[in-house]
Amino acid sequence: CLTCVGKILADIISTVEFNHTGELLATGDKGGRVVIFQREQESKNQVHRRGEYNVYSTFQSHEPEFDYLKSLEIEEKINKIRWLPQQNAAYFLLSTNDKTVKLWKVSERDKRPEGYNLKDEEGRLRDPATITTLRVPVLRPMDLMVEATPRRVFANAHTYHINSISVNSDYETYMSADDLRINLWNFEITNQSFNIVDIKPANMEELTEVITAAEFHPHHCNTFVYSSSKGTIRLCDMRASALCDRHTKFFEEPEDPSNRSFFSEIISSISDVKFSHSGRYIMTRDYLTVKVWDLNMENRPIETYQVHDYLRSKLCSLYENDCIFDKFECVWNGSDSVIMTGSYNNFFRMFDRNTKRDVTLEASRENSKPRAILKPRKVCVGGKRRKDEISVDSLDFSKKILHTAWHPSENIIAVAATNNLYIFQDKVN
């Protein structure tokens, strides 16, 4: 059971990401802002009272732009945030909109220098004729300030919209993926990147699939995966060739002809791909299911979890209202034993891989008062509806949980429900 700490953000949240220790949680929104929450330190008198996340820093990461050559507006919306492991007192994170990736440094300042020789205390230049003595500047304590400064801007490398960024385990390089290409960057070099995957056909009329997500292996810096709109996953090895157009492994589940319909291709498109922390498994999310693949078995997934199978009969109306194109993400818990993904009506689903039990929970302000315990929800399909069940026909498709994150080592999750961020944690006695 979980308790909730609700936080409200001013705009629609478009990405959520814990840093490597779980002490910080970053969200990006459609307005181009990044909001970072910091976890409260443990108090001496209440040892178990931890988990409250409070706003640590807010900054404007991206601004709306206009591409005059293509007459295109470039949205400021943050598509992805990825943290770098902490090396010193400062924190570093990558954020991207459709076209430009930025590296941000977030640092604290609680001292300021005083006693300038050439300037007065307001910062105005003094007349050199009035300076008769040499002063030694001193550092004076001040109120804590958290500063976010852009350290690198990686621009002009993508023709299409960036859907993924992933930091390599060598911590010197990262990749950015758009619909047709994946580029490899060095953190120190902003004016050039290496194209490692290019699936653009010579004739665009022959285009049959696009890249939907990409991620580096957590331990092997030469290996990465990318998923496609055709429901396939390709594992590539950069040691094999500089351009990884030829994959090392190809994961695909053969389609059951009896289930074939007009919507088959749309709902088989993979919206998210994630390596397990161990690096042994890949998890993929398509419209109706979450699948877990073993890296050593390419012909079918080892586990398939139905997220909202009751929507199978509703695909026609979901196509008409464009919901069928929603891109849901999926996440592992710290030990790879539980997976989580979102659904409609502000529901999110958890699947325990060991016990095969699953639960549906709801993130809403009505039932999420601080310290309240979440009740499992059930959706009824036809027949008689029980008192605590909700009918498929009364689900709200405008309320959807696309973005979630799981603390790297503890049972704390962050769930973005439109413009609200919910932080749930294990019930503490």
Side-chain angles (χ1 to χ4, degrees):
C1 59
L2 302 151
T3 60
C4 158
V5 185
K7 302 277 185 208
I8 299 153
L9 296 180
D11 211 335
I12 293 171
I13 300 168
S14 51
T15 184
V16 189
E17 190 79 9
F18 279 102
N19 75 338
H20 290 257
T21 61
E23 291 301 302
L24 299 180
L25 171 67
T27 65
D29 67 20
K30 279 198 165 178
R33 274 175 315 208
V34 172
V35 180
I36 300 174
F37 298 90
Q38 185 182 43
R39 194 176 181 193
E40 267 186 16
Q41 293 303 307
E42 209 168 273
S43 63
K44 288 189 176 69
N45 29 359
Q46 290 176 304
V47 183
H48 297 297
R49 282 294 299 276
R50 287 201 72 198
E52 291 274 339
Y53 280 81
N54 297 312
V55 175
Y56 176 65
S57 174
T58 305
F59 59 93
Q60 190 72 29
S61 173
H62 287 70
E63 302 279 355
E65 294 174 58
F66 191 79
D67 185 335
Y68 293 99
L69 291 174
K70 297 195 181 84
S71 293
L72 273 180
E73 283 185 33
I74 301 167
E75 274 188 30
E76 64 273 41
K77 174 188 160 212
I78 309 290
N79 292 342
K80 286 283 184 288
I81 288 172
R82 291 289 178 263
W83 290 91
L84 276 68
Q86 195 178 356
Q87 310 285 357
N88 50 35
Y91 302 98
F92 287 87
L93 61 89
L94 287 173
S95 65
T96 185
N97 67 348
D98 285 341
K99 297 286 178 190
T100 304
V101 184
K102 293 184 181 181
L103 175 68
W104 289 88
K105 177 186 179 182
V106 181
S107 53
E108 295 182 353
R109 209 172 73 188
D110 59 356
K111 292 185 175 65
R112 67 161 184 261
E114 277 184 13
Y116 290 105
N117 286 289
L118 302 177
K119 292 177 183 173
D120 61 19
E121 297 308 325
E122 272 73 56
R124 292 186 296 262
L125 283 171
R126 291 163 62 191
D127 178 6
T130 64
I131 301 168
T132 54
T133 56
L134 185 67
R135 301 161 75 191
V136 179
V138 290
L139 288 171
R140 296 249 187 266
M142 59 179 263
D143 289 342
L144 179 69
M145 251 177 72
V146 181
E147 294 177 318
T149 47
R151 297 309 300 268
R152 305 269 188 281
V153 177
F154 306 89
N156 307 320
H158 285 276
T159 312
Y160 308 98
H161 292 175
I162 298 171
N163 55 47
S164 304
I165 47 175
S166 180
V167 178
N168 201 346
S169 58
D170 62 9
Y171 306 132
E172 291 179 11
T173 55
Y174 77 92
M175 69 176 168
S176 55
D178 66 24
D179 294 343
L180 298 179
R181 296 191 180 102
I182 300 176
N183 292 332
L184 181 70
W185 300 83
N186 186 299
F187 279 111
E188 300 301 320
I189 301 164
T190 58
N191 60 355
Q192 70 179 109
S193 62
F194 294 96
N195 180 221
I196 52 174
V197 172
D198 187 350
I199 65 165
K200 185 183 178 187
N203 179 4
M204 280 295 269
E205 285 173 12
E206 293 165 13
L207 183 68
T208 58
E209 64 181 332
V210 294
I211 298 166
T212 55
E215 190 177 60
F216 268 119
H217 190 282
H219 315 304
H220 304 313
C221 60
N222 53 286
T223 311
F224 65 93
V225 291
Y226 68 92
S227 57
S228 87
S229 55
K230 272 192 163 175
T232 61
I233 309 113
R234 289 171 177 84
L235 180 93
C236 300
D237 188 340
M238 291 191 288
R239 295 172 303 186
S241 69
L243 190 63
C244 300
D245 286 357
R246 302 246 294 277
H247 47 266
T248 309
K249 291 190 175 184
F250 183 76
F251 301 85
E252 183 179 28
E253 185 172 29
E255 192 188 9
D256 181 357
S258 62
N259 281 343
R260 179 119 190 104
S261 74
F262 170 75
F263 305 108
S264 294
E265 224 165 272
I266 303 172
I267 62 172
S268 67
S269 174
I270 292 172
S271 55
D272 197 16
V273 60
K274 293 266 170 57
F275 271 106
S276 62
H277 295 84
S278 67
R280 170 75 190 269
Y281 305 103
I282 310 168
M283 169 168 55
T284 58
R285 170 74 208 258
D286 56 41
Y287 191 66
L288 294 177
T289 66
V290 172
K291 292 172 180 155
V292 176
W293 304 75
D294 189 316
L295 281 192
N296 301 323
M297 192 165 91
E298 298 169 57
N299 60 340
R300 60 188 171 85
I302 55 167
E303 296 158 30
T304 300
Y305 300 98
Q306 300 296 335
V307 178
H308 36 217
D309 204 43
Y310 46 78
L311 295 182
R312 226 174 257 281
S313 59
K314 295 252 176 286
L315 293 177
C316 205
S317 54
L318 290 163
Y319 179 75
E320 283 166 9
N321 65 13
D322 277 352
C323 282
I324 203 167
F325 302 106
D326 284 335
K327 292 175 169 53
F328 291 95
E329 293 171 10
C330 52
V331 288
W332 302 88
N333 72 338
S335 61
D336 298 333
S337 60
V338 183
I339 54 186
M340 171 172 65
T341 191
S343 180
Y344 294 103
N345 208 67
N346 278 357
F347 288 170
F348 58 99
R349 304 268 285 136
M350 287 182 174
F351 303 95
D352 189 311
R353 297 179 59 212
N354 300 325
T355 63
K356 301 300 176 206
R357 287 195 309 197
D358 63 275
V359 65
T360 302
L361 299 167
E362 183 181 2
S364 72
R365 293 175 71 182
E366 292 78 60
N367 64 3
S368 297
K369 296 179 180 68
R371 311 269 163 248
I373 293 172
L374 288 186
K375 291 191 182 75
R377 303 300 307 263
K378 280 202 168 55
V379 177
C380 95
V381 187
K384 271 187 80 173
R385 184 167 69 88
R386 290 208 186 104
K387 188 177 69 146
D388 54 346
E389 290 184 336
I390 180 163
S391 145
V392 177
D393 299 316
S394 55
L395 292 174
D396 187 342
F397 291 104
S398 65
K399 292 179 175 173
K400 54 192 93 169
I401 288 176
L402 304 176
H403 315 287
T404 57
W406 203 307
H407 189 288
S409 56
E410 294 179 45
N411 279 336
I412 297 174
I413 58 169
V415 175
T418 324
N419 58 348
N420 293 318
L421 176 69
Y422 295 90
I423 298 171
F424 301 100
Q425 68 177 57
D426 248 348
K427 181 167 168 272
V428 251
N429 296 327

